[in-house]
Amino acid sequence: MMKNSDTISRRTLLTAAGAIIATSAFPRSTVAADKVSEDEATAVALGYLHDATQVDTNKWPKRAGAEGAKQLCNNCALYVDQGDGWGGCSIFQNRLVAGEGWCNAWVAA
C-alpha cells in the first residue's frame, strides 16, 4: 500500500506535463534565436520591416507624421532588448525583430 507522501499530486503531475508540452511546442531554433523574416505571413499582415524608414505610410498611416516617426520596435512595449540592435517581440512569439524596425502592432512603452 502506498503512503500519501509517496504519491504525486494531480496538480504536480499536470503542472509538469504542461511545462513539458509548452517547452516542446516550438523547435528550439524558433523560441528566441532566429530573426523574423519580412516575408512571413504575420510580418506582412502587420507591415513589419527591419527598417522603419521604409514603411509605406500611405498603407500604414499609424507610422505617418512626427509622432509616427518616433515609433520603433526598440521603444515598443512588446519589445525586449537583446543588446545587439535586435530584441524579442511577443507578437512574433519572442523571436527577434530589429530595434530600428516597425510594425502596426506598435504600443507605447
Side-chain angles (χ1 to χ4, degrees):
M1 180 174 221
M2 295 179 73
K3 298 178 189 173
N4 281 344
S5 62
D6 293 337
T7 62
I8 297 173
S9 74
R10 186 174 5 191
R11 180 179 293 167
T12 302
L13 181 61
L14 290 174
T15 301
I20 291 167
I21 291 168
T23 58
S24 64
F26 299 103
R28 189 174 187 86
S29 64
T30 62
V31 173
D34 60 17
K35 297 175 181 175
V36 172
S37 168
E38 293 176 347
D39 298 345
E40 292 178 27
T42 303
V44 171
L46 292 173
Y48 171 75
L49 293 175
H50 298 309
D51 180 358
T53 65
Q54 301 301 309
V55 172
D56 179 353
T57 55
N58 290 321
K59 184 173 181 179
W60 304 103
K62 179 177 179 177
R63 173 82 172 123
E67 287 304 307
K70 296 176 187 175
Q71 298 176 5
L72 299 170
C73 289
N74 65 18
N75 63 19
C76 176
L78 306 172
Y79 181 84
V80 178
D81 190 23
Q82 301 292 307
D84 60 356
W86 292 84
C89 175
S90 59
I91 294 296
F92 296 101
Q93 300 174 346
N94 295 318
R95 292 173 48 229
L96 301 176
V97 294
E100 296 295 315
W102 181 88
C103 87
N104 199 48
W106 184 89
V107 178

